[in-house]
């Protein structure tokens, strides 16, 4: 069954956006500027930017669609011609290769930015979830705030991926890869400048304690970046392929 645009905007994006913005502002109030030394909060902030942007684009598309119906003008809007903003599977299987070849030309700058932050919010967000629950959960309190940033973040992105028509390209995992590299460079600079965490420790994460750095951490980070991250991105790719297949074959 196809999810209508009004339902998608109202229930998936408006409500999710309001929920996450509320938690983001709560975290800023709770931790202040030091909130932004953690990769979880970097990624959660980008997730909020994504949903604000997605809600805005969807609302504009809905407004134009309703206006077009009212005026009975059978012209497609920009949001209808760009698959990233409309219902899934709005192209035939035979035309998919041609659509992908012309995709870059079809996207405007704001579409490209939207697509870019999606990759960070989704792929890096899944990485944050996997890393937290497999490595860091034992050292941190598990409360509603933690669950929102380390579990629901991925749930929201998987649901949004499943209901929208955002395409995932395999090579785009490089965006998430570079994002994590940038964060690691930040942790080194922060340490060199004498920065501390919320408890006054001279590191942000125990594994990134550069005063007592263990060589095995390099190996673990390499595996995370070159194996785990691409696999998570591949999962998102699979979700989009399944989504489009189901839409093409079972749409009402």
């Amino acid at each position: 069954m196809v999810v209508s645009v009004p339902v998608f905007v109202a229930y998936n994006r408006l409500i999710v956006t309001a929920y996450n913005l509320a938690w983001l502002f709560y975290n800023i109030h709770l931790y202040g500027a030091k909130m932004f030394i953690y990769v979880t909060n970097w990624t959660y902030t980008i997730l909020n930017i994504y949903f604000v942007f997605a809600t805005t684009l969807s609302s504009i598309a809905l407004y134009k669609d309703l206006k077009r119906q009212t005026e009975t003008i059978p012209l497609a809007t920009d949001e209808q011609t760009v698959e990233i903003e409309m219902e899934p599977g709005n192209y035939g299987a035979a035309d998919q290769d041609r659509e992908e070849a012309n995709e870059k030309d079809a996207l405007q700058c704001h579409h490209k930015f939207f697509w870019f932050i999606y990759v960070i919010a989704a792929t890096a967000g899944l990485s944050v979830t996997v890393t937290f629950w497999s490595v860091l959960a034992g050292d941190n309190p598990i409360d509603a705030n933690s669950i929102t940033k380390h579990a629901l973040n991925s749930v929201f992105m998987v649901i949004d991926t499943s209901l929208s028509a955002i395409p995932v390209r395999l090579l785009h995992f490089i965006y998430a890869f570079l994002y994590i590299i940038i964060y690691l460079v930040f942790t080194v600079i922060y340490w060199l400048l004498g920065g501390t965490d919320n408890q006054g420790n001279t590191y942000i994460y125990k594994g990134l304690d550069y005063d007592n750095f263990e060589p095995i951490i390099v190996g673990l980070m390499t595996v995370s970046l070159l194996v785990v991250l691409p696999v998570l991105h591949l999962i998102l790719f699979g979700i989009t392929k399944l989504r489009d297949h189901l839409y093409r074959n079972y749409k009402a």
Side-chain angles (χ1 to χ4, degrees):
M1 181 176 67
V2 177
V3 178
S4 68
V5 173
V7 171
F8 182 71
V9 172
Y11 290 97
N12 185 66
R13 284 186 167 164
L14 284 176
I15 293 176
V16 169
T17 299
Y19 175 85
N20 283 295
L21 280 175
W23 277 109
L24 179 64
F25 291 141
Y26 170 75
N27 277 269
I28 293 174
H29 169 74
L30 195 63
Y31 300 113
K34 284 215 170 174
M35 165 187 168
F36 296 104
I37 67 174
Y38 298 98
V39 68
T40 291
N41 294 328
W42 279 31
T43 309
Y44 191 62
T45 300
I46 292 174
L47 177 142
N48 273 272
I49 295 172
Y50 168 78
F51 274 109
V52 168
F53 207 163
T55 301
T56 301
L57 291 177
S58 296
S59 298
I60 292 172
L62 175 59
Y63 169 76
K64 289 184 177 181
D65 186 58
L66 293 175
K67 183 179 180 181
R68 188 185 71 256
Q69 291 179 18
T70 302
E71 297 174 351
T72 63
I73 299 176
L75 296 176
T77 65
D78 289 341
E79 286 76 13
Q80 287 176 300
T81 60
V82 180
E83 65 176 8
I84 197 170
E85 293 181 26
M86 296 304 290
E87 294 178 300
N90 59 354
Y91 51 89
D95 296 328
Q96 185 171 356
D97 291 339
R98 178 172 56 82
E99 290 288 342
E100 291 180 3
N102 296 329
E103 197 168 62
K104 290 184 179 179
D105 293 333
L107 296 179
Q108 300 177 25
C109 289
H110 64 278
H111 296 130
K112 294 177 182 179
F113 176 74
F114 178 67
W115 200 0
F116 171 76
I117 61 173
Y118 162 79
V119 175
I120 304 299
T123 302
L126 286 175
S127 179
V128 165
T129 297
V130 169
T131 302
F132 178 81
W133 293 105
S134 63
V135 178
L136 303 174
D139 299 325
N140 293 273
I142 306 301
D143 53 19
N145 187 30
S146 181
I147 290 173
T148 294
K149 295 188 296 183
H150 298 110
L152 292 183
N153 67 312
S154 292
V155 172
F156 291 142
M157 291 310 302
V158 168
I159 291 175
D160 195 81
T161 300
S162 301
L163 295 181
S164 71
I166 297 174
V168 173
R169 301 292 175 255
L170 290 177
L171 290 180
H172 285 185
F173 96 92
I174 194 67
Y175 299 152
F177 176 87
L178 293 175
Y179 167 74
I180 299 299
I181 292 296
I182 290 170
Y183 177 75
L184 292 174
V185 171
F186 163 77
T187 65
V188 173
I189 295 173
Y190 189 75
W191 167 71
L192 290 173
L193 294 176
T196 60
D197 69 358
N198 289 327
Q199 288 74 45
N201 298 308
T202 58
Y203 53 80
I204 300 175
Y205 297 101
K206 287 183 179 179
L208 298 178
D209 181 1
Y210 298 114
D211 288 319
N212 304 284
F213 196 70
E214 299 180 11
I216 191 174
I217 298 298
V218 176
L220 292 175
M221 287 193 299
T222 300
V223 171
S224 177
L225 287 169
L226 299 182
V227 178
V228 177
L229 197 65
V231 167
L232 294 175
H233 192 74
L234 183 61
I235 290 173
L236 289 170
F237 177 79
I239 290 173
T240 62
K241 291 303 179 184
L242 176 61
R243 173 200 68 196
D244 294 345
H245 171 77
L246 292 175
Y247 182 85
R248 284 194 298 268
N249 292 279
Y250 301 105
K251 65 180 178 179

